[in-house]
Amino acid sequence: METVHAATITTVEQVTAHMVRVGLRLDDPAAWVSDGTPDECVHVEVGAETADADGHSARHYTVSGHTPDGFEMEVFLHGDGPGATWARTARPGDRTEVSDSKGYYEVPDGAGVRVLVGDATALPAIARVLAEATADEVFHVVVELSDMADARDLPTAATATIDWRLAGNGMRASVLKDALAELADGLLAPAAASYVWVACEAKESRAIRQMLRRELGLPLTHFRIVGYWHFDLAHAIRVWEEASETTKAEYMALWRDDRTDEENWVELEPFLQKMGA
Ligand SMILES: Cc1cc2nc3c(=O)[nH]c(=O)nc-3n(C[C@H](O)[C@H](O)[C@H](O)COP(=O)(O)OP(=O)(O)OC[C@H]3O[C@@H](n4cnc5c(N)ncnc54)[C@H](O)[C@@H]3O)c2cc1C
């Protein structure tokens, strides 16, 4: 059971055409635990009446920046899901609840170029990774957007190439896997030792993981792939609801604490395929 922290919305501002920044003040800032990674995310109570595919009525959002008594998040206004609706209608003074944070970005020692790839939901994390990077780091970034009005400056002390693509985000076919395939003989050649971080739609993310591991042979330490949302959430929920208790127990047993998430995914991927997910 995760710890829940009460909070008040303090600010709501439009960042770009479809991105809203929400500032939160925690009732007890000292009690909130940040894991400190630049892609750390929290569960946010958004008043959803039904659970998502992971069984949460709350939704995940990245901590885009810390404030003295809380933090900020940036929410992509993709449609009329409970999270997007919450952000669209949020007003200073509204109350909510958030969890402690958890992140995934972990560059191994000796890694070369950092390759950051994602859609609009990944932009808050990508912006923070770049903002916190040091001058000796080199980044290659690919972001797909459904509207170029959401492109923005990504300040950094590092050297960064930013490749904006008009694609994905539930509006068009995603090009993220193709964009990574284009790097196969360069940044993603094993000798380059690049670190790859990807955040996007869940099925796209799984296809990318398969390519990086099976086709390009990247070591599990050199990539971290996170499914951020489900294009067909109803299907993802149905697959889980229709699974037998034995199947659910087998699935949960594959998430072992003595392995990294990417090590777990080696067995999880074929298991999910068998489940029809
Ligand atoms: C670790 C992590 C960090 C995240 N950080 C952020 C963040 O900083 N900012 C952010 O905006 N999102 C972020 N997300 C993604 C966000 O949690 C999902 O997009 C979530 O589904 C939104 O909830 P919802 O209630 O609006 O839609 P849901 O009720 O979850 O989904 C309903 C339907 O809406 C559509 N949908 C959902 N999300 C999207 C989308 N992103 N684009 C297009 N269509 C969509 C799908 O068709 C889906 O079936 C993060 C997710 C994770 C796992």
Side-chain angles (χ1 to χ4, degrees):
M1 184 70 183
E2 64 185 18
T3 312
V4 169
H5 305 270
T8 303
I9 295 177
T10 51
T11 52
V12 181
E13 53 181 319
Q14 202 75 32
V15 183
T16 55
H18 302 92
M19 191 74 91
V20 163
R21 183 176 296 130
V22 179
L24 291 181
R25 182 178 59 240
L26 294 154
D27 285 10
D28 184 1
W32 181 69
V33 181
S34 157
D35 90 346
T37 48
D39 66 338
E40 63 181 330
C41 79
V42 290
H43 285 130
V44 182
E45 193 47 67
V46 295
E49 285 170 12
T50 50
D52 67 8
D54 296 329
H56 297 116
S57 60
R59 294 295 188 263
H60 292 87
Y61 292 106
T62 304
V63 173
S64 57
H66 293 255
T67 55
D69 53 10
F71 55 85
E72 293 177 329
M73 306 170 302
E74 293 172 3
V75 180
F76 174 53
L77 305 179
H78 62 82
D80 58 3
T85 302
W86 174 81
R88 193 178 285 112
T89 57
R91 296 288 173 270
D94 289 356
R95 298 280 285 165
T96 187
E97 289 177 341
V98 298
S99 66
D100 291 326
S101 77
K102 169 182 161 57
Y104 306 92
Y105 185 79
E106 192 179 355
V107 182
D109 287 346
V113 173
R114 289 81 161 109
V115 179
L116 310 181
V117 174
D119 58 22
T121 59
L123 207 38
I126 289 174
R128 190 170 149 195
V129 169
L130 289 170
E132 294 182 4
T134 50
D136 57 338
E137 293 182 87
V138 179
F139 289 84
H140 182 86
V141 181
V142 183
V143 182
E144 63 181 14
L145 297 172
S146 53
D147 183 343
M148 282 302 164
D150 289 310
R152 64 200 228 207
D153 285 343
L154 296 170
T156 183
T159 303
T161 307
I162 317 286
D163 177 0
W164 299 101
R165 309 255 178 138
L166 187 63
N169 297 282
M171 306 290 282
R172 299 175 167 84
S174 173
V175 297
L176 297 179
K177 184 166 175 261
D178 291 345
L180 278 162
E182 288 167 19
L183 305 175
D185 295 328
L187 288 178
L188 298 192
S194 297
Y195 174 69
V196 185
W197 177 95
V198 179
C200 60
E201 197 278 330
K203 273 205 163 172
E204 296 294 337
S205 76
R206 287 167 52 194
I208 288 172
R209 175 180 290 111
Q210 295 279 79
M211 180 182 76
L212 295 184
R213 187 165 64 81
R214 290 225 190 124
E215 294 168 35
L216 303 183
L218 261 60
L220 297 176
T221 48
H222 281 60
F223 60 89
R224 190 67 185 90
I225 316 293
V226 192
Y228 263 23
W229 57 282
H230 290 270
F231 179 70
D232 191 348
L233 180 61
H235 172 75
I237 292 172
R238 205 165 46 246
V239 165
W240 184 250
E241 283 176 351
E242 289 174 0
S244 68
E245 291 307 316
T246 311
T247 302
K248 286 179 185 171
E250 283 170 4
Y251 172 83
M252 295 311 292
L254 292 178
W255 282 108
R256 281 177 28 197
D257 289 343
D258 60 334
R259 303 191 293 207
T260 65
D261 285 357
E262 289 301 344
E263 285 169 346
N264 286 329
W265 270 105
V266 174
E267 289 177 37
L268 279 163
E269 181 54 42
F271 195 87
L272 279 179
Q273 282 178 18
K274 223 170 57 189
M275 284 176 75

